[in-house]
Amino acid sequence: MVITGILLAALAGALVSLQTIFNSKVNERTGPWSSTALVLFTGFLASFAISLLVEGKDTFSIQHMKPWYWFSGAIGVGVVFCLMQALKLLGPTYAISIVLTSQLSFALLFDSMGWLGLDKIPFSWNQLVGVLIIVAGILLFKLGGKSEKPNAVAPSREGQ
């Protein structure tokens, strides 16, 4: 079970990166809000069709759900919009690094506080140090010496 969870999490990470790049390409052709609508609409169609195939009539079994969970789709709008804009402004690697660090930081906060119906997981300083190491890695990646691009045409050595 743990191996399956690790593989699914790794696949999710790869798909988020791939989706982000695809979303930015859609955003180049349309505006940010129409891109967001298109991306989420096609996601809705795909997930709805798969849900009907896999779950059948249970697709519509949504009793006993807390009302605030209905806002998940609206949160998704913010995720897609912000990620597309960050990618355009920062580039894929830097934007995704910041997104993942933010995601990890908030997951640590939500877990340790037991918010939003999560089981409370005791906070440890090792967890915080892990997040700070990731932040340091991002800073090292972004700020740590930029290599010079090689010249497209080598200068002529005539006359030497």
Side-chain angles (χ1 to χ4, degrees):
M1 283 300 235
V2 171
I3 298 295
T4 302
I6 290 170
L7 292 173
L8 287 171
L11 179 59
L15 291 173
V16 166
S17 295
L18 185 61
Q19 181 194 25
T20 301
I21 293 168
F22 281 23
N23 291 354
S24 73
K25 295 301 180 186
V26 172
N27 193 33
E28 288 174 7
R29 304 272 189 243
T30 66
W33 289 111
S34 56
S35 296
T36 302
L38 177 65
V39 165
L40 292 175
F41 181 69
T42 57
F44 165 77
L45 291 177
S47 61
F48 188 64
I50 292 168
S51 178
L52 288 174
L53 287 172
V54 174
E55 297 171 357
K57 66 179 181 166
D58 289 338
T59 293
F60 305 104
S61 297
I62 52 176
Q63 302 88 342
H64 312 296
M65 186 167 44
K66 304 234 187 258
W68 55 84
Y69 294 147
W70 286 86
F71 292 102
S72 176
I75 293 169
V77 170
V79 170
V80 171
F81 178 82
C82 291
L83 196 48
M84 283 191 300
Q85 298 312 303
L87 189 79
K88 185 168 49 172
L89 296 169
L90 302 173
T93 307
Y94 192 40
I96 296 283
S97 298
I98 292 170
V99 167
L100 293 177
T101 303
S102 175
Q103 188 175 3
L104 184 60
S105 299
F106 278 96
L108 176 61
L109 176 67
F110 295 154
D111 276 348
S112 64
M113 301 302 277
W115 290 347
L116 302 173
L118 297 174
D119 292 334
K120 190 171 184 177
I121 298 173
F123 172 81
S124 79
W125 289 103
N126 288 345
Q127 294 167 327
L128 180 60
V129 169
V131 171
L132 293 176
I133 288 171
I134 293 170
V135 170
I138 292 170
L139 291 173
L140 183 64
F141 172 81
K142 185 62 179 170
L143 304 175
K146 298 183 181 196
S147 61
E148 292 184 32
K149 293 182 181 178
N151 292 335
V153 178
S156 173
R157 296 210 172 247
E158 292 178 351
Q160 289 184 351

